[in-house]
Amino acid sequence: MAVCIAVIAKENYPLYIRSVPTENELKFHYMVHTSLDVVDEKISALGKALVDQRELYLGLLYPTEDHKVYGYVTNSKVKFVMVVDSSNTALRDNEIRSMFRKLHNSYTDVMCNPFYNPGDRIHSRAFDNMVTAMMIQVC
Amino acid sequence: MEAAGGGGSGPPLLLSDAEQQCYSELFARCARTAAVGPALPSEPARALPSTVTAAAGPVADLFRASQLPAETLHLITELCGAKRVGYFGPTQFYVALKLIAAAQSGLPVRIESIKCESPLPRFMMSKNDGEVRLGTPAELHGTKAQIPYLTTDKNAFKRADDGDKQETQSPTMSPLASPPSSPPHYQRVPLSHGYSKLRSSTEQMQPASYEARQSLAQTEGTSSGGPGAKPPRLQATLIRSFSVERDPHDSSSHYPDEPWRITEEQREYYINQFRSLQPDPSSFISGSVAKNFFTKSKLSIPELSYIWELSDADCDGALTLPEFCAAFHLIVARKNGYPLPEGLPPTLQPEYLQAAFPKSKWECALFDSYSESMSGSQQPRDSHWSEKTSVKDMADFSVSTQDVTLDDKQASINTTDDASPKDVSEDPATPKDSNSLKARPRSRSYSSTSIEEAMKRGEDPPTPPPRPQKTHSRASSLDLNKVFQPSVPAVKSGSLPQPPALPPRPCPSQSEQPAEAEVPPQSSRAPSQASESSPTKKDIPYSQPPSKPIRRKFKPENQTPENQELPPTVGGPASAPSMKLHPTVQKQSSKQKKAIQTAIRKNKEANAVLTRLNSELQQQLKEVHQERIALENQLEQLRPVTVL
């Protein structure tokens, strides 16, 4: 369902990025990169006072002609960005939320591994499998 | 044997010695069965009398016994060319066997698989083939023989009678130098071959950890160790170690996960290690403690990370005892050269280990429904395992085996936990059984490895890779660091940041000359205390005169409030530092006093100048207002004229 999934660290460098149609990878990388500005805008818009109330799911960041970009920020400022195909109209907000929740859970599992240093690229196979399951329907 | 070195047709078929023997054995059997057996419907199989062929019937049975899915077998028969030529000649048979071995070890079934090294194929023979099995009464007891080690053993220790048979067979096994002389059972072939290799390198091997195992085996192996010869004991213990938990009557004896099964001795060892890290066996080992411990095994961090991922089933960052045992076992297996599995094998699952935990000895688990991804070729792996560890042992140790007592072994067990991961790695690898081979090398091994372990301990856990700098990789235009930093010192100094909306400065007009003339001397005389304020003061006058012409056109009102508020505010901060200076003046020397007083004086002068400037500007503002009113009047007067 998702076309591209990326995990961005707090310092705005990618920890994990994968897109399914691998020929257009550069385009997705660029979209994720530009979406980071929107993410920053959204998280700073609420102000510092409302950090506790800030919701993790940011919603639709911006739509393009073919794709829509959704964002999610954790409390440690790790961002998940997901690009979905615009033609996939059946995809509702709740589904996107659940996908982000799964991503977040897998990410915490990766974090629990003491051999994982925060800030490293994510090489976990379980995480890979989960992401593949989310993207598998795109041919 | 008819097989001529693996046949020449098709892609070159490289067979190792073990494979050569095994395949030739199998081929002979199939051919023999073909000759002996009833007429088979597949006549073409025996169509060509020129070459000895293996009939399709026994071949099909053999292939089915390999437990591969039907389509794989079809693919294999296609690839090996039997379908093409219509019969199973030696080359086709060998190719097929090689492909079966590849398929069992998980490699894709392709022609190229022939070229790569693969372990021996594993066949699960049913009782029907018992007639062909000579000399293995143990197998004829109806249990399906999985692995040669196991077949002999499994029964050997569970039943006394088998033990006798074990002994009787052992003499046949002893002349291992000549494998053909061993019973013509194909299953024996890999065992004997592997065994011969072991023998060749026994002197160097035997890492150790099988001591504990040996002690157990000793007590029970005495029954089978009647002859007292090392070889049978060796074989016995070898098998014993793998099949301790086997039920002889267990029909579901396809435990293809031999290396993933933790034996009794290994388990006790792991439990001891666990206790050394965490006294309470029922609680957890934290992630950092476990990390330090497992890092000593000198595996790479990604591999350790993957092992952790496999073994920490609940992903809580801590290891319970079963999880710890699983992780330790995986590390041991990895060190012995086994590739890590895709998923946690069932025998390493925490529930499984938990169930076995309270029992001192593991009962055999009748888990029939195991579908093993790892099922491929455990048996050949064992031989490989021993071979690999033998090589490794030779690399690690250079010791000669000598007779050792149990005391030595126990002492060595107790000594170094440091060398434990290393030794445990040797553990499963060496089903070398004679005690004599163990303890001495083990004590030596401690000395050789303990240094490494100590060194390893001395090192810190591998330093994390350097984190990327805190740079704004994407928005170079918006460099937050630079944006916020200037404001901080500005705030501290108490001076105002420059007004943001300063229009560009054209060359100052003559009217601003006096103001400028005042400002430069003022700025040159500005003392250090007021240095922060003076640049702003200087800039403000500079900015204001150039903006006057623009102001006249655009926003006169905006600037004047700024002018008004800036000088007083600048005077404010200037006076504040000056006020602060007073208490400090008393403490400082007289020179500083004087300097500060001059600074105060100059600030006051600056204040005066600015107030004068302010008043002048306000006057100008009034004039501008008046001009504007005049112009508006003119406009009103002119307008009716133009309308007309």
Side-chain angles (χ1 to χ4, degrees):
Chain A
M1 288 170 282
V3 171
C4 170
I5 288 180
V7 178
I8 318 284
K10 187 170 83 159
E11 291 88 7
N12 289 331
Y13 61 89
L15 295 176
Y16 181 88
I17 180 162
R18 194 138 80 95
S19 49
V20 162
T22 45
E23 55 273 0
N24 258 342
E25 235 178 13
L26 193 59
K27 181 179 82 172
F28 293 123
H29 289 209
Y30 178 68
M31 283 172 78
V32 169
H33 182 85
T34 53
S35 68
L36 290 177
D37 271 324
V38 186
V39 171
D40 271 348
E41 189 188 312
K42 282 198 187 263
I43 58 179
S44 64
L46 290 176
K48 288 100 185 171
L50 297 176
V51 150
D52 293 334
Q53 299 172 23
R54 179 165 59 79
E55 208 192 282
L56 302 181
Y57 175 68
L58 301 175
L60 180 68
L61 298 179
Y62 67 89
T64 61
E65 191 180 326
D66 305 319
H67 302 283
K68 295 194 203 137
V69 184
Y70 291 90
Y72 182 99
V73 187
T74 68
N75 283 325
S76 56
K77 296 284 188 347
V78 172
K79 307 160 184 79
F80 300 123
V81 176
M82 187 186 317
V83 182
V84 299
D85 223 351
S86 280
S87 55
N88 206 338
T89 51
L91 212 55
R92 273 190 264 116
D93 201 51
N94 280 335
E95 294 175 19
I96 307 276
R97 279 181 197 260
S98 71
M99 284 161 78
F100 274 127
R101 213 172 305 127
K102 275 196 284 184
L103 263 176
H104 198 171
N105 287 335
S106 296
Y107 178 72
T108 48
D109 287 344
V110 168
M111 278 299 194
C112 282
N113 190 331
F115 296 102
Y116 171 77
N117 297 309
D120 288 353
R121 304 216 52 180
I122 296 179
H123 291 292
S124 152
R125 275 186 230 189
F127 192 83
D128 276 340
N129 294 340
M130 193 264 321
V131 168
T132 314
M134 275 207 248
M135 303 204 296
I136 194 129
Q137 299 183 12
V138 180
C139 52
Chain B
M1 299 296 183
E2 334 37 35
S9 65
L13 189 57
L14 304 167
L15 294 178
S16 66
D17 289 344
E19 290 172 330
Q20 180 72 27
Q21 290 159 2
C22 177
Y23 295 173
S24 55
E25 170 76 25
L26 286 165
F27 187 76
R29 187 161 1 112
C30 289
R32 219 182 305 135
T33 317
V36 169
L40 295 165
S42 55
E43 284 300 329
R46 288 180 290 172
L48 299 176
S50 56
T51 59
V52 178
T53 65
V59 169
D61 286 342
L62 185 69
F63 286 1
R64 252 177 271 121
S66 70
Q67 290 183 301
L68 291 174
E71 58 261 18
T72 314
L73 293 174
H74 285 308
L75 185 62
I76 289 174
T77 45
E78 268 183 51
L79 281 176
C80 74
K83 286 209 173 138
R84 189 167 24 94
V85 297
Y87 61 86
F88 267 105
T91 48
Q92 287 81 31
F93 190 72
Y94 285 16
V95 170
L97 286 177
K98 189 103 187 184
L99 289 172
I100 287 175
Q104 283 178 340
S105 56
L107 298 168
V109 176
R110 283 195 305 265
I111 288 291
E112 295 81 32
S113 305
I114 298 173
K115 299 177 190 154
C116 56
E117 290 268 318
S118 61
L120 295 168
R122 185 168 49 85
F123 296 101
M124 198 176 79
M125 301 307 262
S126 61
K127 217 170 169 179
N128 301 335
D129 291 335
E131 57 187 85
V132 187
R133 313 212 178 210
L134 310 171
T136 350
E139 279 132 19
L140 287 179
H141 279 275
T143 58
K144 295 186 179 176
Q146 283 278 317
I147 297 175
Y149 294 157
L150 299 172
T151 56
T152 52
D153 271 4
K154 176 163 51 158
N155 307 317
F157 288 91
K158 303 296 179 182
R159 290 176 278 181
D161 52 351
D162 282 346
D164 296 337
K165 293 187 178 97
Q166 189 77 22
E167 291 166 28
T168 55
Q169 288 160 19
S170 58
T172 62
M173 289 290 296
S174 44
L176 290 167
S178 56
S181 66
S182 64
H185 199 274
Y186 85 96
Q187 286 181 338
R188 289 291 188 185
V189 172
L191 172 61
S192 59
H193 179 73
Y195 187 65
S196 62
K197 281 209 176 181
L198 294 181
R199 290 262 299 190
S200 60
S201 53
T202 42
E203 277 58 44
Q204 277 93 358
M205 309 214 295
Q206 328 316 334
S209 42
Y210 273 29
E211 277 114 49
R213 191 173 304 180
Q214 289 310 314
S215 66
L216 279 179
Q218 274 298 33
T219 53
E220 302 188 30
T222 47
S223 62
S224 68
K230 285 183 190 175
R233 223 189 316 157
L234 198 146
Q235 175 194 8
T237 50
L238 177 153
I239 310 171
R240 166 109 176 117
S241 62
F242 284 114
S243 64
V244 158
E245 58 275 9
R246 293 279 180 82
D247 188 347
H249 297 286
D250 184 12
S251 60
S252 67
S253 62
H254 28 260
Y255 289 132
D257 47 351
E258 264 330 291
W260 308 123
R261 184 172 290 279
I262 303 182
T263 68
E264 186 66 29
E265 297 84 3
Q266 287 175 321
R267 209 155 152 285
E268 286 174 12
Y269 186 76
Y270 299 157
I271 293 175
N272 288 336
Q273 289 301 308
F274 186 92
R275 283 212 199 92
S276 75
L277 296 173
Q278 163 67 268
D280 179 11
S282 62
S283 91
F284 310 121
I285 292 184
S286 75
S288 48
V289 171
K291 176 179 175 179
N292 290 336
F293 182 72
F294 288 136
T295 313
K296 287 188 245 160
S297 70
K298 294 192 221 158
L299 284 181
S300 67
I301 294 294
E303 286 183 350
L304 287 171
S305 174
Y306 182 59
I307 287 175
W308 178 281
E309 204 180 299
L310 285 177
S311 56
D312 190 7
D314 48 2
C315 291
D316 57 354
L319 295 180
T320 61
L321 181 60
E323 292 174 343
F324 177 82
C325 291
F328 212 137
H329 199 72
L330 285 169
I331 288 179
V332 160
R334 185 74 189 100
K335 286 208 79 103
N336 283 300
Y338 273 69
L340 290 175
E342 286 300 314
L344 192 63
T347 51
L348 290 181
Q349 298 273 352
E351 310 84 39
Y352 178 84
L353 294 175
Q354 197 88 49
F357 177 47
K359 306 168 193 165
S360 59
K361 259 192 190 177
W362 281 359
E363 316 277 319
C364 65
L366 302 175
F367 294 92
D368 298 333
S369 59
Y370 280 150
S371 61
E372 268 303 340
S373 63
M374 279 265 320
S375 57
S377 62
Q378 292 301 325
Q379 156 191 350
R381 249 196 206 151
D382 286 337
S383 60
H384 273 248
W385 208 8
S386 54
E387 290 168 25
K388 280 181 191 169
T389 52
S390 68
V391 171
K392 198 160 80 118
D393 297 341
M394 294 197 301
D396 289 342
F397 310 112
S398 56
V399 293
S400 57
T401 60
Q402 297 180 18
D403 285 336
V404 191
T405 61
L406 287 178
D407 296 340
D408 240 318
K409 164 175 56 93
Q410 298 203 344
S412 52
I413 288 177
N414 293 335
T415 41
T416 53
D417 288 343
D418 304 5
S420 57
K422 202 99 195 264
D423 293 333
V424 172
S425 70
E426 313 303 359
D427 241 344
T430 58
K432 305 333 176 288
D433 10 317
S434 63
N435 297 341
S436 59
L437 301 175
K438 296 223 186 127
R440 207 36 140 127
R442 177 148 177 156
S443 56
R444 207 73 74 89
S445 77
Y446 277 118
S447 64
S448 62
T449 56
S450 59
I451 298 168
E452 307 169 42
E453 294 296 351
M455 279 170 52
K456 185 71 186 179
R457 266 214 196 133
E459 296 172 27
D460 289 335
T463 57
R467 300 204 191 161
Q469 298 291 326
K470 260 205 163 184
T471 55
H472 295 272
S473 53
R474 58 179 179 88
S476 57
S477 58
L478 182 65
D479 194 355
L480 297 177
N481 293 333
K482 286 185 194 160
V483 166
F484 287 120
Q485 271 168 12
S487 66
V488 171
V491 167
K492 284 180 188 166
S493 66
S495 60
L496 292 169
Q498 300 194 10
L502 286 183
R505 306 175 187 173
C507 48
S509 56
Q510 300 234 339
S511 59
E512 290 94 16
Q513 290 272 346
E516 287 176 11
E518 288 169 33
V519 169
Q522 172 191 343
S523 61
S524 63
R525 281 176 295 153
S528 61
Q529 287 291 335
S531 58
E532 292 124 352
S533 49
S534 60
T536 57
K537 287 184 224 162
K538 182 173 65 173
D539 290 340
I540 292 166
Y542 265 119
S543 62
Q544 290 167 4
S547 60
K548 268 190 212 165
I550 305 170
R551 245 190 296 143
R552 278 186 188 134
K553 292 171 190 170
F554 298 117
K555 298 177 192 172
E557 297 86 3
N558 291 348
Q559 293 296 327
T560 47
E562 280 182 13
N563 292 342
Q564 284 168 358
E565 68 189 21
L566 281 172
T569 52
V570 168
S575 60
S578 64
M579 296 219 336
K580 278 183 203 169
L581 286 170
H582 287 301
T584 60
V585 160
Q586 295 159 4
K587 299 169 192 174
Q588 290 170 5
S589 64
S590 58
K591 275 190 185 174
Q592 284 176 337
K593 245 195 211 175
K594 284 179 191 169
I596 290 160
Q597 284 171 351
T598 50
I600 294 168
R601 225 180 300 125
K602 281 174 187 155
N603 280 337
K604 288 185 183 164
E605 287 170 12
N607 275 347
V609 165
L610 285 172
T611 47
R612 214 181 322 138
L613 192 60
N614 187 20
S615 57
E616 283 177 10
L617 289 171
Q618 284 190 341
Q619 264 190 336
Q620 285 179 1
L621 179 63
K622 285 178 193 164
E623 290 167 11
V624 165
H625 274 305
Q626 287 168 2
E627 284 179 24
R628 184 185 163 207
I629 293 167
L631 285 170
E632 282 180 357
N633 287 336
Q634 283 181 7
L635 183 63
E636 282 178 9
Q637 289 165 10
L638 288 171
R639 208 182 277 155
V641 173
T642 54
V643 167
L644 291 174

